[in-house]
Amino acid sequence: MAMTQTATADDLSDVSMDKDETEVELERLVFGDNAGFHESLKAHGSAASLSGSRSIDLGPHGSPTPAEAENLEGVDDADLFFLDSKPSAVDVPRLLPTHTSESGAPDHEDSAAWVDSDDERLVISLASNARLRKLRMTEAEDLVNGKEYTRRLRRQFEQLYPVPEWSTQSAQEKGSSRKKRRGSQMSDSSDYDSIDDGSAESGQLSAQPLAKLLQNATNLTQPTSTTPGTRKRLRPEILDVHRLKDVGKAQPSAITSLSFHSKHPLLLTSGPSALLSLYHISPHAPHPNPLLTNLHLRSTPLTTSFFLPPDGNKIFFSGRRRYFHIWDLNTGRVEKVSNVLGHREEQKSMERFKLSPCGCWMALVGSPRKGGGYINIVDTTTCQWTAEVRVEGNSGVADFDWWGDGEGLVALGKGGEAVDYSLVEKRVIARWIDEGAVGTTVVALGGHGFGPKELGGDRWLAVGSSSGIVNVYDRRKWINPDNVPARPKPVRAFDQLTTPTSHLAFSPDGQVLCMASRWKRDALRLIHLPSCTVYKNWPTSNTPLGRITAIGWSANSDMMFGVGSEQGKVRLWEVRG
């Protein structure tokens, strides 16, 4: 009996109760009814006629009548709806200025990939915002629409960042053939050439030839003067030095080698980043000292690189490996020379070498052995071993330098033992010991044409040591090899460097000696010859040298020299008097 009463109560709860008059009136006020909806449509009939739309009579249930439904098929969608908003007080179509070309026709720009219709309805005030006032045409101008605002922003950006000339010229020259050559350009780009030394054979290595690299560069095909005698004499103690624009951007590693071309304004740099860079030296151009090309040799940190004298049509470069490479600039072919036949054990690394001024010989510092060090001389044409120079001592070869005529060289051991070797006679013609030698580090010859012909014709010889002392010898006193004293006296010993001497380089005319040390910041000095005086006015405390890792003089008569730093930067200076 209790269960029956419960079921009856649930059934009664599901039965909807009739609404009283108060509830019906409340729903009509809040939600409205059909009669109120029709009255609202009639009230807005006048607004619909003003906007160009047509009034539609709806049925009792809020739907159009059958007759009106048939007529709606030919009505535009814009006439069926209207925007319930206040009309704008600004005449939007007048905000868009009409741009015409010189012929009077409208100036149509390239069609955009996407157009937003709301841009024409936006209104931006240029006078009210201080950052937008620069976009006005006149001082009285204020309101513009969104499309004109976008156009002026684009114009302002192009004024601040103009389109590069190389991009427009490249597009005009290549034209429609760019797509066809896209595949080949990936392999022989003039900006960056990469060579996989481990996987490619020597005959397959290639890079850009010099003719293609120079075809768009100006003033490169005319040889520059290389006569040192045309230079006027420099004054001692005071030197007029002007800094030029730096060469390119900073390299990813230190600059360990720096070489100027003998005939063209070209500069070659290399470093442990395995990157060989070729620059056009034009410090007074709008874009000074541009990069011509890069050659990247994978897994081979480069130590030494030189142009092959006297024409400079080849580049020899190597690292701490059992091989070196030759880049033929005429053809773009890169050749790999693996070893020196018959002297593999003596030449475990080819990282240290120098090319003779005549361009016929290449001398490589061999591995030290008991009883002294060795220098192997290779023919640059056939890459075959030609001769061997032995230097007495227990520590190996410290450094060597070629005679000015390329028919011999002078080599020094780390203990100060020195030899002059003649390639004509294939023997050592003089032996002597550097005065006060304490760990000899570097040697250089200069002043070609003013010394004894039997010793290469070089007048000056400079020797640096681990203590920083630099001895300068005058070889004119050594009339012939038989008169070379066993312990010659230097003209002067310079002690301005307090750390080991790492670089010595004479100017082409032999009037200036540059000495530097990489073990201390800004450790560089210039010496005037033949007075043997150190220039006091340069460098100064504000000269940005850094830790010097390479120095080199230009081969022509403009007396330009470059300094490579440990930060990967190459800076240029010019000696003007």
Side-chain angles (χ1 to χ4, degrees):
M1 188 65 178
M3 294 177 60
T4 304
Q5 292 177 355
T6 303
T8 303
D10 294 340
D11 293 340
L12 292 175
S13 62
D14 294 337
V15 178
S16 59
M17 302 294 293
D18 293 337
K19 300 178 181 180
D20 55 7
E21 294 181 359
T22 304
E23 185 176 358
V24 172
E25 181 64 18
L26 183 61
E27 288 183 355
R28 187 185 67 80
L29 294 176
V30 175
F31 301 106
D33 56 358
N34 292 340
F37 178 68
H38 291 299
E39 292 178 359
S40 298
L41 287 180
K42 292 179 180 180
H44 289 82
S46 58
S49 60
L50 292 176
S51 62
S53 61
R54 50 185 299 183
S55 60
I56 301 174
D57 294 335
L58 301 178
H61 300 286
S63 60
T65 60
E68 289 291 342
E70 294 179 358
N71 296 332
L72 290 179
E73 296 180 357
V75 179
D76 294 337
D77 293 341
D79 296 337
L80 294 177
F81 305 95
F82 68 94
L83 184 62
D84 189 10
S85 62
K86 182 179 179 181
S88 177
V90 181
D91 190 2
V92 176
R94 294 182 180 179
L95 295 178
L96 183 61
T98 303
H99 299 279
T100 57
S101 60
E102 297 179 357
S103 59
D107 184 11
H108 298 286
E109 299 180 354
D110 295 337
S111 58
W114 179 77
V115 178
D116 190 355
S117 59
D118 291 339
D119 291 345
E120 298 182 359
R121 291 192 291 268
L122 292 176
V123 179
I124 298 95
S125 175
L126 302 180
S128 60
N129 193 334
R131 300 178 61 183
L132 300 181
R133 291 173 186 172
K134 56 180 174 290
L135 302 178
R136 297 181 297 177
M137 295 294 186
T138 60
E139 186 177 358
E141 188 178 15
D142 184 12
L143 300 176
V144 294
N145 67 351
K147 188 175 181 180
E148 176 65 12
Y149 177 68
T150 303
R151 192 188 68 82
R152 295 191 183 185
L153 283 177
R154 183 179 291 108
R155 183 188 60 188
Q156 180 70 12
F157 179 84
E158 292 177 353
Q159 290 177 355
L160 297 177
Y161 306 99
V163 180
E165 296 181 359
W166 60 263
S167 62
T168 57
Q169 293 177 358
S170 177
Q172 294 175 359
E173 292 175 359
K174 294 180 180 179
S176 60
S177 62
R178 182 177 182 180
K179 295 182 180 180
K180 298 180 182 179
R181 298 199 304 263
R182 183 175 299 174
S184 61
Q185 289 177 353
M186 293 296 292
S187 61
D188 47 32
S189 172
S190 62
D191 292 334
Y192 191 87
D193 294 313
S194 181
I195 295 176
D196 189 355
D197 185 63
S199 61
E201 298 295 335
S202 61
Q204 296 177 349
L205 303 182
S206 64
Q208 288 295 313
L210 183 62
K212 189 171 183 178
L213 295 176
L214 305 185
Q215 62 183 358
N216 293 329
T218 58
N219 299 328
L220 284 178
T221 57
Q222 299 179 358
T224 56
S225 175
T226 59
T227 304
T230 59
R231 183 73 181 176
K232 66 178 182 180
R233 291 190 176 275
L234 300 176
R235 297 177 300 170
E237 296 183 358
I238 297 177
L239 190 66
D240 186 11
V241 181
H242 291 259
R243 184 183 176 185
L244 305 177
K245 294 292 185 179
D246 294 349
V247 178
K249 299 180 180 179
Q251 296 293 326
S253 66
I255 304 297
T256 57
S257 183
L258 189 149
S259 175
F260 285 88
H261 197 276
S262 58
K263 293 186 177 181
H264 300 301
L266 299 175
L267 178 64
L268 177 68
T269 64
S270 62
S273 61
L275 195 64
L276 196 71
S277 302
L278 194 62
Y279 297 92
H280 170 213
I281 301 303
S282 56
H284 304 292
H287 302 283
N289 307 322
L291 174 68
L292 292 181
T293 186
N294 280 334
L295 182 65
H296 182 251
L297 198 67
R298 297 185 185 131
S299 69
T300 305
L302 299 178
T303 306
T304 312
S305 60
F306 288 107
F307 287 105
L308 178 64
D311 297 328
N313 54 2
K314 292 183 179 180
I315 294 177
F316 284 64
F317 55 97
S318 68
R320 187 169 292 182
R321 299 291 186 271
R322 287 182 176 269
Y323 50 81
F324 63 91
H325 290 83
I326 303 175
W327 181 8
D328 191 339
L329 296 179
N330 293 332
T331 62
R333 185 171 179 265
V334 180
E335 179 183 1
K336 177 181 177 181
V337 182
S338 299
N339 53 51
V340 179
L341 296 178
H343 299 269
R344 184 177 180 85
E345 295 299 326
E346 301 172 4
Q347 200 66 54
K348 296 181 180 180
S349 175
M350 300 186 181
E351 59 181 312
R352 297 174 59 193
F353 71 89
K354 290 183 181 180
L355 303 175
S356 63
C358 62
C360 299
W361 316 108
M362 174 184 182
L364 301 104
V365 177
S367 303
R369 296 193 301 179
K370 290 183 179 180
Y374 294 86
I375 297 176
N376 290 312
I377 300 177
V378 179
D379 191 305
T380 56
T381 304
T382 62
C383 295
Q384 298 296 319
W385 180 87
T386 302
E388 181 183 77
V389 183
R390 185 173 181 271
V391 181
E392 301 291 342
N394 298 325
S395 302
V397 177
D399 194 19
F400 73 95
D401 198 11
W402 283 97
W403 293 353
D405 57 5
E407 296 182 355
L409 56 84
V410 57
L412 274 81
K414 295 182 180 179
E417 307 86 358
V419 297
D420 279 276
Y421 182 87
S422 174
L423 275 170
V424 177
E425 301 181 17
K426 295 293 182 66
R427 68 180 183 91
V428 175
I429 61 176
R431 294 181 183 273
W432 51 279
I433 298 177
D434 179 37
E435 185 182 67
V438 180
T440 305
T441 56
V442 62
V443 63
L445 290 170
H448 179 65
F450 302 98
K453 294 182 179 180
E454 294 80 0
L455 296 175
D458 302 292
R459 178 180 179 181
W460 304 107
L461 186 145
V463 180
S465 63
S466 58
S467 62
I469 301 296
V470 176
N471 293 331
V472 176
Y473 297 89
D474 189 351
R475 288 164 68 94
R476 286 194 309 177
K477 301 177 181 179
W478 307 346
I479 302 175
N480 55 57
D482 297 333
N483 294 333
V484 177
R487 294 181 178 272
K489 294 292 182 179
V491 177
R492 184 173 176 183
F494 298 92
D495 57 356
Q496 280 72 23
L497 301 179
T498 58
T499 52
T501 308
S502 58
H503 300 90
L504 291 174
F506 286 90
S507 62
D509 58 3
Q511 295 190 70
V512 180
L513 169 64
C514 180
M515 59 181 186
S517 173
R518 67 173 303 174
W519 310 111
K520 185 178 180 181
R521 291 184 59 86
D522 304 332
L524 182 144
R525 294 294 183 271
L526 296 182
I527 301 171
H528 176 264
L529 298 172
S531 66
C532 292
T533 56
V534 180
Y535 285 105
K536 299 179 180 179
N537 66 317
W538 197 92
T540 65
S541 58
N542 296 326
T543 304
L545 295 173
R547 291 187 179 270
I548 299 168
T549 55
I551 58 176
W553 288 88
S554 174
N556 52 36
S557 60
D558 57 4
M559 290 287 284
M560 181 190 305
F561 68 96
V563 177
S565 66
E566 196 175 49
Q567 293 78 20
K569 298 180 180 180
V570 179
R571 295 183 172 92
L572 295 180
W573 282 271
E574 182 181 4
V575 178
R576 299 182 180 178

